[in-house]
Amino acid sequence: MTPTELNEYIKHYLEKDKTHTAIMLTGEWGAGKTYYIEHELIPYLKKDKKSRCVVISLYGLESISDISKSLYMELRIKALKKSERIETGKLIAKTIVKNVVGALGINVDMSERDLQKLYNSVDLGGKLLIFEDLERSQINIVKLMGYINNLVERDGVKILLVANEREIINKTSENLNCNISEMFSTQIEENKGNSVSEDVQQYLKIKEKTIGDTVYFESEYYKSVENIISTFKSEKLQVLINKDVINQLALIVRRECNQNFRTFIFATQKMVDILDKIEENYEEDFLRCIYFGLLRFSARIKAKEFPEWKGTEFLSTELGTNRYPLFKFCYDYIRWQRLEVKRIGESKEAYDKKKLYDKEAERNDKDLQIVFYCYDKAENEVKSALQSIEQRLEKQNDISFYSYGKLAANLIKLGRILEFDYTKCKECMIKNIKGKGDTIDSEILFMPLFDFEGNEKSEYDDFAKQLSESMNCDNQKKEFSYSPDNISDLYDYVIRQETKISRKHQFISEYKADLIAEMLFHASAKQIDDFRGMLFAVYRYATKTDFIEADLKTMEELLSFIEERINSHNYDIDKIQLKQLDWLCGNLRTFISQMK
């Protein structure tokens, strides 16, 4: 049922139902039942300007008298506030009063006239009693249902029970072996007694007598997400929200949050807190990534124990997703309530770098999806996506490099079909990818996935050649200047391309040993340590067959140059730098020994 349909159904029950039974609204925890009651049902029933709903939470209540006291106090306070006049023939809930008089110290032997006054103080005429959190009550469920049965059958009270019935069944019988949907039936199969406990059977029997209809509540996710976001009244958050974003959030709530809107509210609160602390104007894509990462991680920690951090210094795809990683500053804020604002900018840089080298980025890129799979799309839609891509390519950090090969092919095809001039796109792509050859696997970038017509193939080959030349794959290492400042860049290259270097079976021999040695005697202790770490990453497990003989000879030459310089005392370095060089010599001896 939609909220509108549910409202109409409950109003019909309140005004016209003659069955003397209650109705039940059941659904998973956090599915939005309470939100519906407060923001949809109560306002709907108040349209005639009457106070028609009395809401009582059964959470933690331990006795029937606790319920009666709660009801009595709720009704009496409302009566006093509104100075309601006693009307002849109004509904009196004797079941409530009987459970109140002793508990409140009222004289049970009062006169009939005084008892009538007490009855009159709990007017339920035309009202709907809403009992929430039925499954969280500490009262025996059979006794509780008996009490409710007295109210609806003997006193004629209209009652809406709001519960997670699955939890009622599980609480009553931990080893229940039946489908919960079958429990919604008013008929109890005779053979069911062999598969459920006696308590469950009793519950089902009294439920059949007490409850007429059981309605399974499933929220309108899109509307609920939209309404919850609006309650935060955050202008910064609203800027990030559009129809597509709400659809994505609703899908996450439904599938990953187990329909639990409390999890969504928790994550949204954290997002608003973070936005309030941010002073810089970050791109919407990055801010949405924060939001989606927070929501997915919140869903995880609500279902399981809080995990330890698993990721880089700034982000984790394991605790988030590949498209929407969890940022370390978000993890720290949720776990320790500590928000380091300066880390947000650093995280943005890490996120941009990740996007550029994401091999699966196109799957989550709306523009690329339209262009790559354009043959069932409208012309205007495809042109709009092409124009968006053209603008986005002006920023190097927006579209993954691994989309460039496929994008080039589609630009050529669509350039002809739609008469689209892709010159600006091409110029930006060549500029953006310049010098990135060491960090991009060109075999993946230019995979032959396209069927070309006419001279499209030669046009694509020329485009791919210009991209490849700009990447500068073959010349990048030849441009190494043998300056200590270049060591960190070379170290980064090795860490990223360790597998590729291993397949190539060659590394150190591509450089000149004498120039490396000279460079190291002008390097800081940290730079020498990075150089050692780089060699260790490549050669730590190397054997004779893993690298070409030229690598072995280059290492022997490098060791000789360094030892000769140290022994001659022809250097101007401190003792820590000298110790680093001594350790480097030890590393080289180990590698040489392994490779002989």
Side-chain angles (χ1 to χ4, degrees), residues 216-257:
Y216 188 83
F217 180 84
E218 187 169 7
S219 176
E220 287 187 309
Y221 294 95
Y222 183 98
K223 185 175 180 181
S224 296
V225 165
E226 189 175 39
N227 288 340
I228 289 170
I229 289 173
S230 68
T231 62
F232 282 88
K233 303 184 185 306
S234 169
E235 294 182 5
K236 289 184 177 180
L237 182 61
Q238 286 292 349
V239 170
L240 308 179
I241 303 303
N242 56 40
K243 185 177 180 179
D244 288 340
V245 171
I246 293 178
N247 279 326
Q248 290 182 68
L249 292 170
L251 191 62
I252 296 173
V253 170
R254 185 171 188 172
R255 294 182 178 177
E256 299 179 39
C257 298

Side-chain angles (χ1 to χ4, degrees), residues 64-65 67-69 71-72 91-101 119 122 124 129 131 143-157 159:
I64 297 299
S65 64
I67 304 175
S68 291
K69 282 188 286 184
L71 276 170
Y72 177 78
L91 178 62
I92 306 302
K94 295 176 180 168
T95 300
I96 293 174
V97 176
K98 288 177 182 177
N99 283 275
V100 166
V101 288
Y119 286 164
V122 285
L124 291 174
L129 290 190
F131 287 132
K143 290 182 180 179
L144 181 55
M145 294 294 282
Y147 172 72
I148 292 168
N149 181 70
N150 282 339
L151 284 172
V152 295
E153 189 173 277
R154 297 183 183 182
D155 294 330
V157 179
I159 295 180

Side-chain angles (χ1 to χ4, degrees), residues 20-83:
H20 290 277
T21 58
I23 57 175
M24 176 182 281
L25 184 64
T26 184
E28 302 301 319
W29 281 337
K33 300 186 295 295
T34 298
Y35 186 91
Y36 160 73
I37 297 293
E38 293 177 354
H39 294 87
E40 296 279 355
L41 179 61
I42 292 177
Y44 174 76
L45 294 179
K46 275 186 177 179
K47 284 182 179 179
D48 56 6
K49 301 189 183 212
K50 294 180 182 178
S51 179
R52 308 186 71 182
C53 296
V54 180
V55 183
I56 301 295
S57 173
L58 302 179
Y59 195 118
L61 297 190
E62 298 179 350
S63 67
I64 297 299
S65 64
D66 286 341
I67 304 175
S68 291
K69 282 188 286 184
S70 297
L71 276 170
Y72 177 78
M73 296 305 297
E74 178 75 13
L75 290 162
R76 285 293 291 136
I77 289 171
K78 285 188 176 181
L80 290 171
K81 282 183 178 180
K82 296 186 177 181
S83 301

Side-chain angles (χ1 to χ4, degrees), residues 142-202:
V142 176
K143 290 182 180 179
L144 181 55
M145 294 294 282
Y147 172 72
I148 292 168
N149 181 70
N150 282 339
L151 284 172
V152 295
E153 189 173 277
R154 297 183 183 182
D155 294 330
V157 179
K158 297 296 177 69
I159 295 180
L160 169 63
L161 300 173
V162 183
N164 181 343
E165 192 175 29
R166 185 186 303 276
E167 293 300 320
I168 294 176
I169 298 296
N170 290 340
K171 184 177 178 181
T172 306
S173 177
E174 294 181 356
N175 299 315
L176 178 65
N177 183 24
C178 59
N179 190 328
I180 188 66
S181 63
E182 296 175 4
M183 299 300 178
F184 296 160
S185 172
T186 57
Q187 299 295 322
I188 303 175
E189 302 174 19
E190 293 182 2
N191 62 0
K192 190 64 71 176
N194 296 325
S195 61
V196 298
S197 71
E198 183 178 346
D199 286 343
V200 172
Q201 293 179 56
Q202 289 180 355

Side-chain angles (χ1 to χ4, degrees), residues 5 8 98 166 197 230 298 412 452-453 485 584:
E5 293 170 335
E8 292 173 354
K98 288 177 182 177
R166 185 186 303 276
S197 71
S230 68
S298 297
I412 290 169
F452 294 104
E453 299 175 359
D485 293 336
L584 174 59

Side-chain angles (χ1 to χ4, degrees), residues 398-411:
D398 202 342
I399 296 179
S400 169
F401 291 139
Y402 282 101
S403 301
Y404 277 25
K406 196 171 181 179
L407 179 58
N410 281 277
L411 286 173

Side-chain angles (χ1 to χ4, degrees), residues 50 73 116 131 139 188 209 237 264 278 324 377 409 452 512 553 559:
K50 294 180 182 178
M73 296 305 297
Q116 184 63 42
F131 287 132
I139 306 169
I188 303 175
K209 178 178 174 63
L237 182 61
F264 176 64
I278 292 176
Y324 299 114
K377 306 291 189 302
F452 294 104
K512 296 180 179 180
K553 291 188 176 298
L559 176 62

Side-chain angles (χ1 to χ4, degrees), residues 477 490 493-494 501 504-511 531 534-535 538-539 547-548 551:
K477 287 185 284 296
L490 188 58
Y493 161 74
V494 168
I501 292 169
K504 193 176 180 181
H505 305 291
Q506 181 182 13
F507 174 61
I508 195 66
S509 59
E510 296 177 339
Y511 304 89
F531 187 82
M534 174 182 61
L535 291 184
V538 175
Y539 296 108
F547 288 88
I548 62 175
D551 273 26

